Structure formats: C-alpha cells, structure tokens
Amino acid sequence: ISEKCIALYATGRNLLQIARETGVPRPNVRQTLIEAGVAIRTHHSRPDETTIKAEKLQVGVTPFGYSRLRGRLVVEPKEIETVRLILNLWQAGRSLSAIAQHLDSHGYKTRKGGRWEHSIVRHIVLRHKDNPDQIEETIWESTNSSR
C-alpha cells in the first residue's frame, strides 16, 4: 500500500484521490506518506502541472478608495484623496464624528453621493489602521502591473 500511495502522490494526485483509488481512508493515506518520509504538499500545489492560477473573483463590497480590475484592488483616483484626508484627520486626533462633519461641510460625498456617517469613517480608518502603507502599495502595484 505504501509504495502505491507514494507512486500516486508523486504523479500529482491529492490525498482524497489516492484514498478513492486505493480504498484506504484519507487519514491513513496521509499517515502512510508521512511515515515513508514524503513531504506533504499544501492543497494548492501541484508539481506536475504548470498552470497559471486564475484570478479569484472577489465578492462583497469594494472598499472606499478602491475599485476592482480583473479581480484585484486598484486605486480609485476620485476617492483615494478623501481616504488620505480621513486618515490625516484621524492621525491628528479628530474623532470619527468630527471627521464625518468635516467631510460633509467641505462638500465631500460618499460613493453613493450621500452624507458621511461616523460608521463609514470608522470602516476606512480600521481598514488602514493596521496597514498604513496600503494606499501606496496599491498605487505601486496598480501602476506597475499595467506595464
């Protein structure tokens, strides 16, 4: 069984496929391969194939300041300056409600053309709080991937 599992695994089959072909439960196939010293692949790798991974379609709401192009986030020029302003005001110590009031009083509109609420500002701040360089990284990726 061990030799058959190793041979099938070497051809690129995954643990489930080997289990179905040999009639051996998948956990036993895995244990057999490990005991034989075979390095277990992650479920994404297939050494016998040279395939280009398709862009994964994203679902859900695209964050303010960005749009999607071929499944990837790219900077939305009309919105990104508003995001930068929000982050600068927040870093200067303004409250979320004060930022929303500032945006409204200066004529900034949400993506749907509405008024700013502290909860919308909060989502933007939280998105960029852990990764403050995300805007610049996305701009860099957007400009360099189009070449």
Side-chain angles (χ1 to χ4, degrees), residues 3 27 29 41 53 87 111 113:
E3 292 172 11
V29 170
R41 298 184 301 262
K53 291 183 180 180
L87 295 175
R111 180 174 286 159

Side-chain angles (χ1 to χ4, degrees), residues 55-56 58 67-75 141 145:
E55 293 282 343
K56 202 175 193 183
Q58 301 292 321
S67 59
R68 293 206 187 269
L69 178 65
R70 289 182 236 130
R72 300 191 73 176
L73 281 181
V74 295
V75 171
E141 289 173 7
S145 67

